[in-house]
Amino acid sequence: MVKTLELLNPVPAWRQEFADYSLQRFQQDLLAGLTVGVVALPLALAFGVTSGAGAAAGLFTAIVAGLVGSAFGGSRYNITGPTGAMTVVLLPIIAQYGVDKVFLVGIMAGLILLVFGLLRFGRLIQLVPYPVVIGFTNGIAIIIFLQQVPALLGVATPRGEHILPITLEAIRVYLLQPQVASLFLTTLTVGLILLWGRYIKHIPGSIVALILVTLVSLLFPDLPRIGLIPTNLPAPQLPNWSLSDVSLLFSAALAVALLAGIETLLSAVVADSMTIREKHDPDREVIGSSFANILAPIFGGIPATGAIARTAVNVRSGAQTRFSGIIHALFLLLVVVLLGPLAQAIPLAALAGILMVVAVRMVEWEAVQAILRSTRSDLSTMLVTMGVTVAFDLVLAIEVGLVLAGILFIQRMKNSLSLEPMDLTPQLPQHLEIDHDLLRERVVAFRVDGPLFFAVAGEFINSLTQISQVDALILRMRRVKVMDASGANALLTMKEALERRGVKFLLSGLQPQPREVLERMGLLEKVTTHGHHLFETTDQAIAHAWSHVKRKQQQNP
């Protein structure tokens, strides 16, 4: 309990991280934080608009969640803020319940994450299969791209839970009354980002495109724009709520919490992969994300996650400590205070272009190619997860992907179990006088190779219980490293069925994990006849089986 509560106290981690802090390291943090802030500015605006909560909500999220997530998280490099993945989940929630309820959803999700962190669920991210991660990441990229189609075409469409009907409706409305201004500005934004990035690396093309396209858009006064941005953070305020609201919104909050946890930990893993000496604390990272999601809605923000692209920029820019993430949040706050009124002129078409580029860059092309070269089951898992993400929702996609990956994994494990007859001649004990022909006639032995678990238990029993014209059956278990309760029960069922036919059931080479399962279930004594039919080596089992054969021959000469 004490160790669990220690996760709520970040001071020891801060002391260790800043023990050798210096002016030089601060300068590196300052440069990295400002660089990430410039990258985050247009994305925060764009994701706020795309989520349906508004550009200001996106900025407030980047400021509050960015500061809190960096201060209290388990990674010194992770950048927290509004992300494309979260907008995909929030859009249907806002469409169904309204913008006001999304703040309550965020706080509830933060509390759920706090429980996850205290229960040390952070390490469970390692259980999510790679094809599932790639599938929903690419599905999110497709949705983000499609979400920009209305702004690209300059048409207003009703918000809904599913993106495909909205996209088709936007195209239909545009064809009835086409106009080129928004299409031109979005295309100009994409072109500027791509061209700028080809020749100039140290200044983000998205911020340059945002400024230039906003200036050009002044030639088109009737374009949809993001609207007025407040010049300071709103006063902290808890959203209105009731027990009925909590019950109604719990499933939505759970979905947001799961996504926030998964994306945040994935972002931290990316940061780890880009560094050598630093590894994040997953449980503390989940708790940092919980604090960020509890506090951001109180200041008018939406739920947030770790932002993989911004985190990568942070690492590449030379960040030394979590102070870079704090600086990035303070930079965005300074932008709100000084430049908030100017932001109302930004056209939605420019934000659409920025997010279209982000969406295309989100697609894990190399990972897709690698999965295409792997197994059919991995490819199927990725495609199904991606399809469900686009057609339905992200949480259902993760659930379906995990179930499908589990089923296909079980099928692979099932196929990996082999049961091969053994030639007893090389295994015969040298010190015994044995009639080889009689032994081969009256004793059979099988080598079991692979996991003995529920998916194979039935076939395993059926394949061996049909044997009856022998005196003893030996199972060599040395290559069975893993066994579950179904496998243990299968051994008992097999033993009882064989001995009803007068066949002695012997085991050799039982490994520690299967032995432990049998002991815990109270079956070891029954399966091995109080240990008399359990042997360390196969030749010992053969010697014992031969004694049964001789005894039976003496009883029935």
Side-chain angles (χ1 to χ4, degrees):
M1 184 65 179
V2 174
K3 290 185 177 180
T4 297
L5 294 178
E6 286 177 356
L7 292 170
L8 298 176
N9 181 15
V11 175
W14 293 346
R15 287 175 178 167
Q16 181 179 1
E17 187 173 336
F18 291 96
D20 56 349
Y21 204 60
S22 62
L23 178 61
Q24 181 181 4
R25 297 184 71 189
F26 168 74
Q27 291 173 340
Q28 290 177 289
D29 277 339
L30 178 63
L31 178 60
L34 294 176
T35 303
V36 176
V38 172
V39 172
L41 176 61
L43 295 179
L45 295 170
F47 286 135
V49 171
T50 302
S51 72
L59 268 179
F60 298 155
T61 305
I63 294 168
V64 178
L67 191 152
V68 175
S70 291
F72 293 96
S75 168
R76 64 173 65 185
Y77 303 114
N78 216 1
I79 300 295
T80 303
T83 62
M86 187 57 76
T87 64
V88 171
V89 174
L90 294 181
L91 193 60
I93 293 175
I94 291 175
Q96 184 174 357
Y97 301 109
V99 175
D100 292 341
K101 296 301 182 186
V102 81
F103 303 121
L104 178 58
V105 168
I107 294 174
M108 290 172 60
L111 293 173
I112 293 171
L113 280 170
L114 181 60
V115 174
F116 285 173
L118 293 176
L119 293 177
R120 298 183 178 273
F121 284 177
R123 290 167 178 79
L124 293 182
I125 185 62
Q126 299 171 356
L127 301 180
V128 180
Y130 185 63
V132 174
V133 173
I134 299 303
F136 80 69
T137 300
N138 291 344
I140 288 168
I142 294 172
I143 292 176
I144 292 173
F145 190 93
L146 294 178
Q147 283 175 340
Q148 310 318 310
V149 172
L152 164 71
L153 301 177
V155 301
T157 58
R159 296 190 180 277
E161 294 187 27
H162 303 303
I163 192 62
L164 293 177
I166 296 174
T167 304
L168 294 175
E169 175 65 12
I171 295 172
R172 187 190 69 81
V173 172
Y174 179 79
L175 292 176
L176 292 176
Q177 192 174 0
Q179 54 89 20
V180 298
S182 293
L183 186 61
F184 166 70
L185 291 177
T186 301
T187 305
L188 178 61
T189 302
V190 173
L192 284 171
I193 292 173
L194 297 180
L195 287 174
W196 187 271
R198 179 175 296 181
Y199 298 106
I200 300 176
K201 304 293 184 182
H202 58 279
I203 300 177
S206 57
I207 193 71
V208 174
L210 185 69
I211 295 171
L212 294 180
V213 173
T214 298
L215 294 175
V216 173
S217 73
L218 298 178
L219 301 174
F220 308 94
D222 296 329
L223 284 175
R225 302 178 188 273
I226 67 172
L228 184 64
I229 301 291
T231 57
N232 51 37
L233 282 176
Q237 181 180 0
L238 287 173
N240 296 324
W241 66 280
S242 65
L243 290 178
S244 60
D245 287 335
V246 172
S247 176
L248 179 67
L249 298 173
F250 181 78
S251 60
L254 180 60
V256 169
L258 290 173
L259 176 61
I262 291 172
E263 279 286 297
T264 297
L265 291 171
L266 284 175
S267 182
V269 169
V270 168
D272 287 352
S273 68
M274 298 177 68
T275 60
I276 297 175
R277 60 187 175 88
E278 183 65 23
K279 298 298 178 185
H280 75 284
D281 181 337
D283 301 314
R284 192 178 295 279
E285 186 64 23
V286 171
I287 288 177
S289 181
S290 78
F291 291 162
N293 279 287
I294 290 171
L295 291 175
I298 294 176
F299 288 91
I302 57 178
T305 77
I308 296 176
R310 276 158 275 174
T311 297
V313 170
N314 191 37
V315 176
R316 285 197 297 264
S317 300
Q320 297 294 300
T321 68
R322 65 187 68 239
F323 201 34
S324 63
I326 295 173
I327 291 172
H328 127 272
L330 295 177
F331 169 78
L332 292 176
L333 177 61
L334 187 64
V335 169
V336 168
V337 172
L338 299 180
L339 303 177
L342 300 179
Q344 63 183 317
I346 297 173
L348 297 184
L351 299 182
I354 291 170
L355 289 186
M356 283 182 164
V357 174
V358 169
V360 173
R361 289 175 174 172
M362 276 182 66
V363 176
E364 302 278 358
W365 301 108
E366 293 183 2
V368 171
Q369 292 174 1
I371 292 175
L372 286 172
R373 294 191 295 267
S374 65
T375 64
R376 290 184 179 180
S377 61
D378 287 336
L379 177 60
S380 300
T381 300
M382 182 191 73
L383 293 177
V384 169
T385 304
M386 187 164 58
V388 175
T389 300
V390 176
F392 298 99
D393 64 72
L394 181 63
V395 175
L396 179 62
I398 295 175
E399 294 170 351
V400 170
L402 288 174
V403 170
L404 180 59
I407 292 172
L408 294 174
F409 175 77
I410 290 170
Q411 184 62 41
R412 285 201 298 270
M413 290 298 98
K414 180 179 177 181
N415 294 336
S416 70
L417 182 76
S418 63
L419 188 66
E420 300 176 356
M422 292 179 61
D423 182 4
L424 297 179
T425 304
Q427 304 287 337
L428 294 178
Q430 300 297 320
H431 62 283
L432 292 180
E433 294 184 6
I434 295 178
D435 184 336
H436 293 187
D437 293 333
L438 180 60
L439 179 71
R440 281 192 290 266
E441 181 183 343
R442 305 308 303 170
V443 177
V444 293
F446 293 89
R447 179 186 293 109
V448 188
D449 191 347
L452 186 54
F453 67 120
F454 65 91
V456 300
E459 293 182 12
F460 186 69
I461 294 171
N462 293 335
S463 62
L464 293 178
T465 53
Q466 306 304 317
I467 297 172
S468 60
Q469 302 303 316
V470 295
D471 295 328
L473 182 147
I474 301 170
L475 278 188
R476 185 179 186 271
M477 301 281 289
R478 193 165 301 280
R479 297 183 182 178
V480 179
K481 306 293 185 183
V482 177
M483 183 171 67
D484 67 359
S486 298
N489 188 66
L491 290 179
L492 179 62
T493 301
M494 187 186 311
K495 186 248 189 185
E496 293 173 344
L498 289 171
E499 294 201 343
R500 282 195 296 269
R501 295 185 175 92
V503 180
K504 293 297 181 182
F505 180 66
L506 312 177
L507 292 178
S508 72
L510 190 64
Q511 295 298 296
Q513 192 274 343
R515 178 190 287 269
E516 183 180 358
V517 171
L518 288 168
E519 288 175 344
R520 288 185 175 182
M521 295 180 67
L523 300 181
L524 184 62
E525 295 291 302
K526 296 178 182 179
V527 170
T528 65
T529 315
H530 303 289
H532 298 307
H533 292 166
L534 176 61
F535 304 93
E536 179 64 28
T537 63
T538 305
D539 60 346
Q540 293 173 352
I542 293 172
H544 193 84
W546 175 243
S547 68
H548 281 292
V549 173
K550 288 197 303 180
R551 190 178 306 116
K552 213 162 189 179
Q553 290 296 313
Q554 292 169 359
Q555 294 172 354
N556 302 289

